[in-house]
Amino acid sequence: MFVSRITDQIKAELKAKNAVLVAHYYVSAELQTLAEESGGIVSDSLEMARFGQNCSADTIVVAGVKFMGETAKILSPEKTVLVLDEGATCSLDEDCPIANFSKFCDEHPDRTVVVYANTSAEVKARADWVVTSGSALKVVQHLKSQGKKILWAPDKHLGNYVQSETGADMLLWQGSCVVHERFKADALVNLKKHHPEAGVLVHPESPQSVVDLADVVGSTTALINAVRDRDEQTFIVATDNGIFHKMREVAPNKTLIEAPTAGQGADCESCAHCEWMAMNTLDNCLSTLKTAGNEIKIDPLVNQKAQNSIQKLLDFTA
Ligand code: 13P
Ligand code: SF4
């Protein structure tokens, strides 16, 4: 179907159902544009959660991955939340099954449990705090100042980064993001030799060796703002390449280069795109709206507990 026709149909369905489209920076440019044009939002996972909670729509349509849909539902249990493909998940979420995680927590009752947003509703319900990449440093700093020891899950790279920045006592679950884990420090060093003037922007889900080469480490929003605000004309970007759409929009004259995923130990040439984010399409957006399919459902008790740990974050970062 032609893009303009299908986007017109989606806009009409959104209006008819008092629905809003909330998209992450990693989904296709078409979906990002559509979310903004139809009164929704494109943002990082923290702002997606906040927008869904504050909007007056009856239905939230999430273009992203499952944990983003679940977070929207946890914060707005009275609203209908739809995702475009129920199979669109996240390796961090998959790597942290609730039974194993709960056992891990039980073994360390003296630790405050802090989990990344990229987890299931059940894992969030077991946690004391939920954080995002844009808020993890501040929350852990705050907990450290209260003398708390932390149990962190699931991303070992983000956990490692937060631990080294804050000096907090953190016990780390060993999950990782399959996209960010593939960025290679040795190949990045070589690329930098060809572009010594370039700023290096790194999402903290990347390995420590890549983070060590960064000029800016931050959430997707922080990296976009860096492209807009910093003086460099060229940037090497170590995160999902879906983000380039917004970066080009905010800084059309700057040059953006994908950080290398090839190099020693590489198992692919260019992997800088999340296969689950790529499952979001205009076609399944339209069919989801038409059938009200892929609705997120969460056990009310789990929902209530998970809401407590996310709400702490929203209040803390308000
Ligand atoms: P942000 O919270 O920075 O948008 O990251 C979400 C994510 O899944 C990154 O891989
Ligand atoms: Fe999960 Fe990584 Fe995909 Fe983000 S990019 S949704 S962390 S697998």
Side-chain angles (χ1 to χ4, degrees), residues 66 70 91-107 113 115 118-128 151 153-154 173 299 302 305-306 309:
K66 190 172 122 208
E70 288 187 341
S91 61
L92 288 166
D93 185 349
E94 303 270 292
D95 279 355
C96 193
I98 181 60
N100 306 28
F101 179 65
S102 203
K103 184 167 171 281
F104 186 52
C105 296
D106 290 344
E107 284 162 6
V113 178
V115 302
N118 301 35
T119 44
S120 66
E122 289 76 13
V123 166
K124 289 184 175 77
R126 184 66 180 76
D128 299 303
L151 183 153
W173 186 265
D299 173 84
V302 170
K305 286 187 182 160
S309 9

PDB file of all heavy atoms in Angstrom, residues 66 70 91-107 113 115 118-128 151 153-154 173 299 302 305-306 309:
ATOM      1  N   LYS A  66       7.932  -5.001  23.462  1.00  0.00           N
ATOM      2  CA  LYS A  66       6.925  -5.424  24.442  1.00  0.00           C
ATOM      3  C   LYS A  66       7.047  -4.710  25.793  1.00  0.00           C
ATOM      4  O   LYS A  66       6.046  -4.272  26.358  1.00  0.00           O
ATOM      5  CB  LYS A  66       7.046  -6.945  24.638  1.00  0.00           C
ATOM      6  CG  LYS A  66       5.916  -7.544  25.426  1.00  0.00           C
ATOM      7  CD  LYS A  66       6.015  -9.064  25.399  1.00  0.00           C
ATOM      8  CE  LYS A  66       6.113  -9.629  26.787  1.00  0.00           C
ATOM      9  NZ  LYS A  66       6.815 -10.873  26.928  1.00  0.00           N
ATOM     10  N   GLU A  70       4.162  -2.835  27.964  1.00  0.00           N
ATOM     11  CA  GLU A  70       3.817  -3.214  29.340  1.00  0.00           C
ATOM     12  C   GLU A  70       3.968  -2.030  30.288  1.00  0.00           C
ATOM     13  O   GLU A  70       3.138  -1.822  31.176  1.00  0.00           O
ATOM     14  CB  GLU A  70       4.702  -4.376  29.802  1.00  0.00           C
ATOM     15  CG  GLU A  70       4.327  -5.682  29.120  1.00  0.00           C
ATOM     16  CD  GLU A  70       5.087  -6.886  29.679  1.00  0.00           C
ATOM     17  OE1 GLU A  70       6.132  -6.710  30.331  1.00  0.00           O
ATOM     18  OE2 GLU A  70       4.632  -8.008  29.434  1.00  0.00           O
ATOM     19  N   SER A  91      16.308  -8.578  24.075  1.00  0.00           N
ATOM     20  CA  SER A  91      17.171  -9.625  24.645  1.00  0.00           C
ATOM     21  C   SER A  91      17.369  -9.434  26.148  1.00  0.00           C
ATOM     22  O   SER A  91      17.564 -10.409  26.877  1.00  0.00           O
ATOM     23  CB  SER A  91      18.518  -9.672  23.925  1.00  0.00           C
ATOM     24  OG  SER A  91      19.204  -8.452  24.070  1.00  0.00           O
ATOM     25  N   LEU A  92      17.316  -8.201  26.619  1.00  0.00           N
ATOM     26  CA  LEU A  92      17.482  -7.962  28.060  1.00  0.00           C
ATOM     27  C   LEU A  92      16.304  -8.534  28.838  1.00  0.00           C
ATOM     28  O   LEU A  92      16.475  -9.166  29.880  1.00  0.00           O
ATOM     29  CB  LEU A  92      17.611  -6.462  28.323  1.00  0.00           C
ATOM     30  CG  LEU A  92      18.936  -5.853  27.877  1.00  0.00           C
ATOM     31  CD1 LEU A  92      18.854  -4.332  27.842  1.00  0.00           C
ATOM     32  CD2 LEU A  92      20.052  -6.300  28.798  1.00  0.00           C
ATOM     33  N   ASP A  93      15.109  -8.317  28.322  1.00  0.00           N
ATOM     34  CA  ASP A  93      13.888  -8.849  28.914  1.00  0.00           C
ATOM     35  C   ASP A  93      13.948 -10.388  28.887  1.00  0.00           C
ATOM     36  O   ASP A  93      13.724 -11.064  29.909  1.00  0.00           O
ATOM     37  CB  ASP A  93      12.710  -8.290  28.092  1.00  0.00           C
ATOM     38  CG  ASP A  93      11.342  -8.652  28.649  1.00  0.00           C
ATOM     39  OD1 ASP A  93      11.275  -9.496  29.546  1.00  0.00           O
ATOM     40  OD2 ASP A  93      10.338  -8.089  28.162  1.00  0.00           O
ATOM     41  N   GLU A  94      14.293 -10.946  27.731  1.00  0.00           N
ATOM     42  CA  GLU A  94      14.365 -12.410  27.572  1.00  0.00           C
ATOM     43  C   GLU A  94      15.403 -13.038  28.503  1.00  0.00           C
ATOM     44  O   GLU A  94      15.215 -14.150  28.983  1.00  0.00           O
ATOM     45  CB  GLU A  94      14.772 -12.768  26.136  1.00  0.00           C
ATOM     46  CG  GLU A  94      13.854 -12.210  25.087  1.00  0.00           C
ATOM     47  CD  GLU A  94      12.732 -13.157  24.758  1.00  0.00           C
ATOM     48  OE1 GLU A  94      13.009 -14.207  24.181  1.00  0.00           O
ATOM     49  OE2 GLU A  94      11.574 -12.840  25.098  1.00  0.00           O
ATOM     50  N   ASP A  95      16.507 -12.321  28.718  1.00  0.00           N
ATOM     51  CA  ASP A  95      17.615 -12.844  29.536  1.00  0.00           C
ATOM     52  C   ASP A  95      17.328 -12.830  31.033  1.00  0.00           C
ATOM     53  O   ASP A  95      18.196 -13.190  31.821  1.00  0.00           O
ATOM     54  CB  ASP A  95      18.880 -11.965  29.343  1.00  0.00           C
ATOM     55  CG  ASP A  95      19.642 -12.309  28.075  1.00  0.00           C
ATOM     56  OD1 ASP A  95      19.258 -13.276  27.401  1.00  0.00           O
ATOM     57  OD2 ASP A  95      20.623 -11.587  27.770  1.00  0.00           O
ATOM     58  N   CYS A  96      16.154 -12.350  31.425  1.00  0.00           N
ATOM     59  CA  CYS A  96      15.894 -12.181  32.862  1.00  0.00           C
ATOM     60  C   CYS A  96      14.523 -12.772  33.232  1.00  0.00           C
ATOM     61  O   CYS A  96      13.589 -12.036  33.590  1.00  0.00           O
ATOM     62  CB  CYS A  96      15.974 -10.682  33.186  1.00  0.00           C
ATOM     63  SG  CYS A  96      16.043 -10.326  34.938  1.00  0.00           S
ATOM     64  N   PRO A  97      14.397 -14.109  33.168  1.00  0.00           N
ATOM     65  CA  PRO A  97      13.114 -14.731  33.519  1.00  0.00           C
ATOM     66  C   PRO A  97      12.799 -14.550  34.996  1.00  0.00           C
ATOM     67  O   PRO A  97      13.698 -14.617  35.837  1.00  0.00           O
ATOM     68  CB  PRO A  97      13.319 -16.215  33.169  1.00  0.00           C
ATOM     69  CG  PRO A  97      14.774 -16.408  32.962  1.00  0.00           C
ATOM     70  CD  PRO A  97      15.438 -15.068  32.783  1.00  0.00           C
ATOM     71  N   ILE A  98      11.538 -14.342  35.314  1.00  0.00           N
ATOM     72  CA  ILE A  98      11.146 -13.978  36.679  1.00  0.00           C
ATOM     73  C   ILE A  98      11.546 -15.021  37.720  1.00  0.00           C
ATOM     74  O   ILE A  98      12.014 -14.660  38.809  1.00  0.00           O
ATOM     75  CB  ILE A  98       9.627 -13.628  36.775  1.00  0.00           C
ATOM     76  CG1 ILE A  98       9.248 -13.227  38.206  1.00  0.00           C
ATOM     77  CG2 ILE A  98       8.746 -14.730  36.278  1.00  0.00           C
ATOM     78  CD1 ILE A  98       9.953 -12.037  38.763  1.00  0.00           C
ATOM     79  N   ALA A  99      11.431 -16.308  37.409  1.00  0.00           N
ATOM     80  CA  ALA A  99      11.716 -17.326  38.435  1.00  0.00           C
ATOM     81  C   ALA A  99      13.185 -17.234  38.882  1.00  0.00           C
ATOM     82  O   ALA A  99      13.478 -17.191  40.082  1.00  0.00           O
ATOM     83  CB  ALA A  99      11.409 -18.712  37.892  1.00  0.00           C
ATOM     84  N   ASN A 100      14.111 -17.178  37.918  1.00  0.00           N
ATOM     85  CA  ASN A 100      15.545 -17.090  38.245  1.00  0.00           C
ATOM     86  C   ASN A 100      15.853 -15.760  38.935  1.00  0.00           C
ATOM     87  O   ASN A 100      16.629 -15.700  39.888  1.00  0.00           O
ATOM     88  CB  ASN A 100      16.416 -17.171  36.984  1.00  0.00           C
ATOM     89  CG  ASN A 100      16.108 -18.405  36.167  1.00  0.00           C
ATOM     90  OD1 ASN A 100      15.000 -18.909  36.198  1.00  0.00           O
ATOM     91  ND2 ASN A 100      17.086 -18.893  35.431  1.00  0.00           N
ATOM     92  N   PHE A 101      15.224 -14.714  38.435  1.00  0.00           N
ATOM     93  CA  PHE A 101      15.506 -13.394  38.995  1.00  0.00           C
ATOM     94  C   PHE A 101      15.025 -13.305  40.445  1.00  0.00           C
ATOM     95  O   PHE A 101      15.717 -12.779  41.322  1.00  0.00           O
ATOM     96  CB  PHE A 101      14.852 -12.307  38.138  1.00  0.00           C
ATOM     97  CG  PHE A 101      15.076 -10.930  38.677  1.00  0.00           C
ATOM     98  CD1 PHE A 101      16.358 -10.391  38.722  1.00  0.00           C
ATOM     99  CD2 PHE A 101      14.025 -10.179  39.177  1.00  0.00           C
ATOM    100  CE1 PHE A 101      16.582  -9.124  39.246  1.00  0.00           C
ATOM    101  CE2 PHE A 101      14.243  -8.917  39.705  1.00  0.00           C
ATOM    102  CZ  PHE A 101      15.523  -8.393  39.735  1.00  0.00           C
ATOM    103  N   SER A 102      13.858 -13.838  40.691  1.00  0.00           N
ATOM    104  CA  SER A 102      13.284 -13.791  42.027  1.00  0.00           C
ATOM    105  C   SER A 102      14.175 -14.561  43.015  1.00  0.00           C
ATOM    106  O   SER A 102      14.405 -14.117  44.147  1.00  0.00           O
ATOM    107  CB  SER A 102      11.881 -14.395  41.970  1.00  0.00           C
ATOM    108  OG  SER A 102      11.134 -13.938  43.019  1.00  0.00           O
ATOM    109  N   LYS A 103      14.701 -15.692  42.541  1.00  0.00           N
ATOM    110  CA  LYS A 103      15.591 -16.497  43.388  1.00  0.00           C
ATOM    111  C   LYS A 103      16.856 -15.685  43.725  1.00  0.00           C
ATOM    112  O   LYS A 103      17.311 -15.649  44.865  1.00  0.00           O
ATOM    113  CB  LYS A 103      15.956 -17.777  42.615  1.00  0.00           C
ATOM    114  CG  LYS A 103      16.778 -18.766  43.376  1.00  0.00           C
ATOM    115  CD  LYS A 103      16.783 -20.112  42.624  1.00  0.00           C
ATOM    116  CE  LYS A 103      17.772 -21.077  43.235  1.00  0.00           C
ATOM    117  NZ  LYS A 103      19.165 -20.832  42.857  1.00  0.00           N
ATOM    118  N   PHE A 104      17.395 -15.026  42.725  1.00  0.00           N
ATOM    119  CA  PHE A 104      18.586 -14.176  42.888  1.00  0.00           C
ATOM    120  C   PHE A 104      18.313 -13.090  43.951  1.00  0.00           C
ATOM    121  O   PHE A 104      19.123 -12.849  44.846  1.00  0.00           O
ATOM    122  CB  PHE A 104      18.915 -13.553  41.529  1.00  0.00           C
ATOM    123  CG  PHE A 104      20.189 -12.751  41.452  1.00  0.00           C
ATOM    124  CD1 PHE A 104      21.396 -13.275  41.882  1.00  0.00           C
ATOM    125  CD2 PHE A 104      20.191 -11.467  40.903  1.00  0.00           C
ATOM    126  CE1 PHE A 104      22.574 -12.534  41.786  1.00  0.00           C
ATOM    127  CE2 PHE A 104      21.356 -10.723  40.801  1.00  0.00           C
ATOM    128  CZ  PHE A 104      22.552 -11.259  41.247  1.00  0.00           C
ATOM    129  N   CYS A 105      17.138 -12.473  43.871  1.00  0.00           N
ATOM    130  CA  CYS A 105      16.776 -11.431  44.849  1.00  0.00           C
ATOM    131  C   CYS A 105      16.660 -12.039  46.246  1.00  0.00           C
ATOM    132  O   CYS A 105      17.144 -11.457  47.230  1.00  0.00           O
ATOM    133  CB  CYS A 105      15.441 -10.774  44.482  1.00  0.00           C
ATOM    134  SG  CYS A 105      15.472  -9.892  42.933  1.00  0.00           S
ATOM    135  N   ASP A 106      16.032 -13.229  46.317  1.00  0.00           N
ATOM    136  CA  ASP A 106      15.850 -13.881  47.626  1.00  0.00           C
ATOM    137  C   ASP A 106      17.204 -14.194  48.280  1.00  0.00           C
ATOM    138  O   ASP A 106      17.311 -14.186  49.502  1.00  0.00           O
ATOM    139  CB  ASP A 106      15.057 -15.193  47.473  1.00  0.00           C
ATOM    140  CG  ASP A 106      13.604 -14.930  47.107  1.00  0.00           C
ATOM    141  OD1 ASP A 106      13.156 -13.773  47.263  1.00  0.00           O
ATOM    142  OD2 ASP A 106      12.934 -15.873  46.641  1.00  0.00           O
ATOM    143  N   GLU A 107      18.192 -14.469  47.429  1.00  0.00           N
ATOM    144  CA  GLU A 107      19.521 -14.802  47.967  1.00  0.00           C
ATOM    145  C   GLU A 107      20.265 -13.568  48.515  1.00  0.00           C
ATOM    146  O   GLU A 107      21.286 -13.698  49.171  1.00  0.00           O
ATOM    147  CB  GLU A 107      20.372 -15.453  46.862  1.00  0.00           C
ATOM    148  CG  GLU A 107      19.976 -16.899  46.588  1.00  0.00           C
ATOM    149  CD  GLU A 107      20.493 -17.415  45.246  1.00  0.00           C
ATOM    150  OE1 GLU A 107      21.253 -16.692  44.569  1.00  0.00           O
ATOM    151  OE2 GLU A 107      20.105 -18.546  44.883  1.00  0.00           O
ATOM    152  N   VAL A 113      16.674  -3.626  45.190  1.00  0.00           N
ATOM    153  CA  VAL A 113      16.590  -4.192  43.834  1.00  0.00           C
ATOM    154  C   VAL A 113      16.237  -3.093  42.828  1.00  0.00           C
ATOM    155  O   VAL A 113      15.165  -2.487  42.894  1.00  0.00           O
ATOM    156  CB  VAL A 113      15.550  -5.334  43.784  1.00  0.00           C
ATOM    157  CG1 VAL A 113      15.432  -5.886  42.365  1.00  0.00           C
ATOM    158  CG2 VAL A 113      15.930  -6.431  44.771  1.00  0.00           C
ATOM    159  N   VAL A 115      15.934  -2.366  38.764  1.00  0.00           N
ATOM    160  CA  VAL A 115      15.917  -2.994  37.434  1.00  0.00           C
ATOM    161  C   VAL A 115      15.735  -1.945  36.345  1.00  0.00           C
ATOM    162  O   VAL A 115      15.082  -0.926  36.529  1.00  0.00           O
ATOM    163  CB  VAL A 115      14.836  -4.103  37.299  1.00  0.00           C
ATOM    164  CG1 VAL A 115      15.030  -5.184  38.344  1.00  0.00           C
ATOM    165  CG2 VAL A 115      13.428  -3.562  37.310  1.00  0.00           C
ATOM    166  N   ASN A 118      13.942  -2.274  30.627  1.00  0.00           N
ATOM    167  CA  ASN A 118      13.879  -3.342  29.619  1.00  0.00           C
ATOM    168  C   ASN A 118      13.703  -4.709  30.293  1.00  0.00           C
ATOM    169  O   ASN A 118      14.548  -5.596  30.198  1.00  0.00           O
ATOM    170  CB  ASN A 118      15.180  -3.352  28.788  1.00  0.00           C
ATOM    171  CG  ASN A 118      15.437  -2.042  28.083  1.00  0.00           C
ATOM    172  OD1 ASN A 118      15.119  -0.987  28.605  1.00  0.00           O
ATOM    173  ND2 ASN A 118      16.019  -2.102  26.898  1.00  0.00           N
ATOM    174  N   THR A 119      12.581  -4.875  30.992  1.00  0.00           N
ATOM    175  CA  THR A 119      12.283  -6.102  31.735  1.00  0.00           C
ATOM    176  C   THR A 119      10.778  -6.353  31.686  1.00  0.00           C
ATOM    177  O   THR A 119       9.990  -5.447  31.363  1.00  0.00           O
ATOM    178  CB  THR A 119      12.677  -5.944  33.225  1.00  0.00           C
ATOM    179  OG1 THR A 119      12.225  -4.665  33.685  1.00  0.00           O
ATOM    180  CG2 THR A 119      14.169  -6.058  33.446  1.00  0.00           C
ATOM    181  N   SER A 120      10.378  -7.560  32.076  1.00  0.00           N
ATOM    182  CA  SER A 120       8.946  -7.898  32.089  1.00  0.00           C
ATOM    183  C   SER A 120       8.232  -7.186  33.246  1.00  0.00           C
ATOM    184  O   SER A 120       8.872  -6.716  34.204  1.00  0.00           O
ATOM    185  CB  SER A 120       8.786  -9.411  32.267  1.00  0.00           C
ATOM    186  OG  SER A 120       9.252  -9.772  33.561  1.00  0.00           O
ATOM    187  N   ALA A 121       6.906  -7.181  33.176  1.00  0.00           N
ATOM    188  CA  ALA A 121       6.097  -6.593  34.262  1.00  0.00           C
ATOM    189  C   ALA A 121       6.371  -7.322  35.577  1.00  0.00           C
ATOM    190  O   ALA A 121       6.438  -6.700  36.642  1.00  0.00           O
ATOM    191  CB  ALA A 121       4.619  -6.687  33.894  1.00  0.00           C
ATOM    192  N   GLU A 122       6.563  -8.639  35.511  1.00  0.00           N
ATOM    193  CA  GLU A 122       6.787  -9.434  36.725  1.00  0.00           C
ATOM    194  C   GLU A 122       8.114  -9.048  37.398  1.00  0.00           C
ATOM    195  O   GLU A 122       8.211  -8.965  38.620  1.00  0.00           O
ATOM    196  CB  GLU A 122       6.796 -10.936  36.407  1.00  0.00           C
ATOM    197  CG  GLU A 122       5.434 -11.522  36.054  1.00  0.00           C
ATOM    198  CD  GLU A 122       4.978 -11.182  34.648  1.00  0.00           C
ATOM    199  OE1 GLU A 122       5.791 -10.692  33.830  1.00  0.00           O
ATOM    200  OE2 GLU A 122       3.787 -11.397  34.351  1.00  0.00           O
ATOM    201  N   VAL A 123       9.145  -8.838  36.584  1.00  0.00           N
ATOM    202  CA  VAL A 123      10.449  -8.435  37.131  1.00  0.00           C
ATOM    203  C   VAL A 123      10.339  -7.028  37.741  1.00  0.00           C
ATOM    204  O   VAL A 123      10.857  -6.766  38.830  1.00  0.00           O
ATOM    205  CB  VAL A 123      11.554  -8.523  36.043  1.00  0.00           C
ATOM    206  CG1 VAL A 123      12.826  -7.800  36.472  1.00  0.00           C
ATOM    207  CG2 VAL A 123      11.857  -9.990  35.731  1.00  0.00           C
ATOM    208  N   LYS A 124       9.622  -6.153  37.090  1.00  0.00           N
ATOM    209  CA  LYS A 124       9.425  -4.798  37.645  1.00  0.00           C
ATOM    210  C   LYS A 124       8.687  -4.890  38.980  1.00  0.00           C
ATOM    211  O   LYS A 124       8.966  -4.149  39.925  1.00  0.00           O
ATOM    212  CB  LYS A 124       8.645  -3.922  36.667  1.00  0.00           C
ATOM    213  CG  LYS A 124       9.436  -3.524  35.421  1.00  0.00           C
ATOM    214  CD  LYS A 124       8.617  -2.575  34.557  1.00  0.00           C
ATOM    215  CE  LYS A 124       9.397  -2.056  33.360  1.00  0.00           C
ATOM    216  NZ  LYS A 124       9.521  -3.007  32.272  1.00  0.00           N
ATOM    217  N   ALA A 125       7.724  -5.821  39.047  1.00  0.00           N
ATOM    218  CA  ALA A 125       6.936  -5.967  40.278  1.00  0.00           C
ATOM    219  C   ALA A 125       7.814  -6.472  41.427  1.00  0.00           C
ATOM    220  O   ALA A 125       7.549  -6.181  42.595  1.00  0.00           O
ATOM    221  CB  ALA A 125       5.776  -6.927  40.038  1.00  0.00           C
ATOM    222  N   ARG A 126       8.860  -7.225  41.113  1.00  0.00           N
ATOM    223  CA  ARG A 126       9.763  -7.766  42.145  1.00  0.00           C
ATOM    224  C   ARG A 126      10.788  -6.714  42.612  1.00  0.00           C
ATOM    225  O   ARG A 126      11.438  -6.875  43.631  1.00  0.00           O
ATOM    226  CB  ARG A 126      10.482  -9.002  41.563  1.00  0.00           C
ATOM    227  CG  ARG A 126      11.388  -9.748  42.521  1.00  0.00           C
ATOM    228  CD  ARG A 126      10.575 -10.394  43.635  1.00  0.00           C
ATOM    229  NE  ARG A 126      11.402 -11.132  44.598  1.00  0.00           N
ATOM    230  CZ  ARG A 126      12.151 -10.589  45.557  1.00  0.00           C
ATOM    231  NH1 ARG A 126      12.215  -9.273  45.685  1.00  0.00           N
ATOM    232  NH2 ARG A 126      12.844 -11.352  46.386  1.00  0.00           N
ATOM    233  N   ALA A 127      10.904  -5.624  41.834  1.00  0.00           N
ATOM    234  CA  ALA A 127      11.945  -4.619  42.100  1.00  0.00           C
ATOM    235  C   ALA A 127      11.479  -3.538  43.082  1.00  0.00           C
ATOM    236  O   ALA A 127      10.279  -3.325  43.267  1.00  0.00           O
ATOM    237  CB  ALA A 127      12.343  -3.955  40.794  1.00  0.00           C
ATOM    238  N   ASP A 128      12.470  -2.870  43.681  1.00  0.00           N
ATOM    239  CA  ASP A 128      12.165  -1.685  44.488  1.00  0.00           C
ATOM    240  C   ASP A 128      12.093  -0.442  43.605  1.00  0.00           C
ATOM    241  O   ASP A 128      11.317   0.472  43.850  1.00  0.00           O
ATOM    242  CB  ASP A 128      13.259  -1.488  45.549  1.00  0.00           C
ATOM    243  CG  ASP A 128      13.350  -2.674  46.494  1.00  0.00           C
ATOM    244  OD1 ASP A 128      12.326  -3.002  47.115  1.00  0.00           O
ATOM    245  OD2 ASP A 128      14.427  -3.308  46.580  1.00  0.00           O
ATOM    246  N   LEU A 151      21.209  -4.472  44.093  1.00  0.00           N
ATOM    247  CA  LEU A 151      21.162  -5.624  43.205  1.00  0.00           C
ATOM    248  C   LEU A 151      20.625  -5.074  41.882  1.00  0.00           C
ATOM    249  O   LEU A 151      19.534  -4.497  41.851  1.00  0.00           O
ATOM    250  CB  LEU A 151      20.244  -6.697  43.787  1.00  0.00           C
ATOM    251  CG  LEU A 151      20.125  -8.015  43.023  1.00  0.00           C
ATOM    252  CD1 LEU A 151      19.764  -9.142  43.986  1.00  0.00           C
ATOM    253  CD2 LEU A 151      19.080  -7.927  41.916  1.00  0.00           C
ATOM    254  N   ALA A 153      19.712  -5.392  37.660  1.00  0.00           N
ATOM    255  CA  ALA A 153      19.417  -6.287  36.531  1.00  0.00           C
ATOM    256  C   ALA A 153      18.719  -5.487  35.431  1.00  0.00           C
ATOM    257  O   ALA A 153      18.118  -4.461  35.695  1.00  0.00           O
ATOM    258  CB  ALA A 153      18.509  -7.428  36.990  1.00  0.00           C
ATOM    259  N   PRO A 154      18.723  -6.003  34.164  1.00  0.00           N
ATOM    260  CA  PRO A 154      19.488  -7.169  33.741  1.00  0.00           C
ATOM    261  C   PRO A 154      20.772  -6.811  32.986  1.00  0.00           C
ATOM    262  O   PRO A 154      21.583  -7.701  32.750  1.00  0.00           O
ATOM    263  CB  PRO A 154      18.517  -7.882  32.782  1.00  0.00           C
ATOM    264  CG  PRO A 154      17.629  -6.805  32.245  1.00  0.00           C
ATOM    265  CD  PRO A 154      17.658  -5.655  33.221  1.00  0.00           C
ATOM    266  N   TRP A 173      23.310  -8.660  37.538  1.00  0.00           N
ATOM    267  CA  TRP A 173      22.778  -9.734  36.680  1.00  0.00           C
ATOM    268  C   TRP A 173      23.542  -9.655  35.361  1.00  0.00           C
ATOM    269  O   TRP A 173      24.005  -8.573  34.983  1.00  0.00           O
ATOM    270  CB  TRP A 173      21.282  -9.481  36.460  1.00  0.00           C
ATOM    271  CG  TRP A 173      20.541 -10.548  35.734  1.00  0.00           C
ATOM    272  CD1 TRP A 173      20.268 -10.598  34.399  1.00  0.00           C
ATOM    273  CD2 TRP A 173      19.926 -11.701  36.301  1.00  0.00           C
ATOM    274  NE1 TRP A 173      19.531 -11.708  34.103  1.00  0.00           N
ATOM    275  CE2 TRP A 173      19.310 -12.419  35.261  1.00  0.00           C
ATOM    276  CE3 TRP A 173      19.828 -12.207  37.607  1.00  0.00           C
ATOM    277  CZ2 TRP A 173      18.603 -13.599  35.455  1.00  0.00           C
ATOM    278  CZ3 TRP A 173      19.137 -13.388  37.806  1.00  0.00           C
ATOM    279  CH2 TRP A 173      18.539 -14.074  36.743  1.00  0.00           C
ATOM    280  N   ASP A 299      -1.639  -9.084  34.979  1.00  0.00           N
ATOM    281  CA  ASP A 299      -2.327  -9.459  36.209  1.00  0.00           C
ATOM    282  C   ASP A 299      -2.411  -8.222  37.130  1.00  0.00           C
ATOM    283  O   ASP A 299      -1.393  -7.550  37.345  1.00  0.00           O
ATOM    284  CB  ASP A 299      -1.507 -10.582  36.880  1.00  0.00           C
ATOM    285  CG  ASP A 299      -2.050 -10.925  38.240  1.00  0.00           C
ATOM    286  OD1 ASP A 299      -2.981 -11.713  38.292  1.00  0.00           O
ATOM    287  OD2 ASP A 299      -1.532 -10.367  39.250  1.00  0.00           O
ATOM    288  N   VAL A 302       0.268  -7.878  39.914  1.00  0.00           N
ATOM    289  CA  VAL A 302       1.593  -7.592  39.323  1.00  0.00           C
ATOM    290  C   VAL A 302       1.616  -6.134  38.887  1.00  0.00           C
ATOM    291  O   VAL A 302       2.578  -5.391  39.136  1.00  0.00           O
ATOM    292  CB  VAL A 302       1.860  -8.530  38.112  1.00  0.00           C
ATOM    293  CG1 VAL A 302       3.099  -8.103  37.340  1.00  0.00           C
ATOM    294  CG2 VAL A 302       1.982  -9.981  38.582  1.00  0.00           C
ATOM    295  N   LYS A 305       2.076  -3.700  41.854  1.00  0.00           N
ATOM    296  CA  LYS A 305       3.437  -3.705  42.412  1.00  0.00           C
ATOM    297  C   LYS A 305       4.427  -3.039  41.456  1.00  0.00           C
ATOM    298  O   LYS A 305       5.305  -2.280  41.871  1.00  0.00           O
ATOM    299  CB  LYS A 305       3.888  -5.142  42.683  1.00  0.00           C
ATOM    300  CG  LYS A 305       3.221  -5.757  43.894  1.00  0.00           C
ATOM    301  CD  LYS A 305       3.870  -7.105  44.183  1.00  0.00           C
ATOM    302  CE  LYS A 305       3.217  -7.804  45.350  1.00  0.00           C
ATOM    303  NZ  LYS A 305       3.484  -9.240  45.358  1.00  0.00           N
ATOM    304  N   ALA A 306       4.295  -3.358  40.164  1.00  0.00           N
ATOM    305  CA  ALA A 306       5.205  -2.773  39.169  1.00  0.00           C
ATOM    306  C   ALA A 306       5.002  -1.256  39.091  1.00  0.00           C
ATOM    307  O   ALA A 306       5.953  -0.491  38.915  1.00  0.00           O
ATOM    308  CB  ALA A 306       4.978  -3.419  37.801  1.00  0.00           C
ATOM    309  N   SER A 309       7.039   0.663  41.659  1.00  0.00           N
ATOM    310  CA  SER A 309       8.473   0.869  41.376  1.00  0.00           C
ATOM    311  C   SER A 309       8.713   1.820  40.200  1.00  0.00           C
ATOM    312  O   SER A 309       9.735   2.502  40.172  1.00  0.00           O
ATOM    313  CB  SER A 309       9.227  -0.456  41.157  1.00  0.00           C
ATOM    314  OG  SER A 309       8.401  -1.546  41.066  1.00  0.00           O
TER     315      SER A 309
END
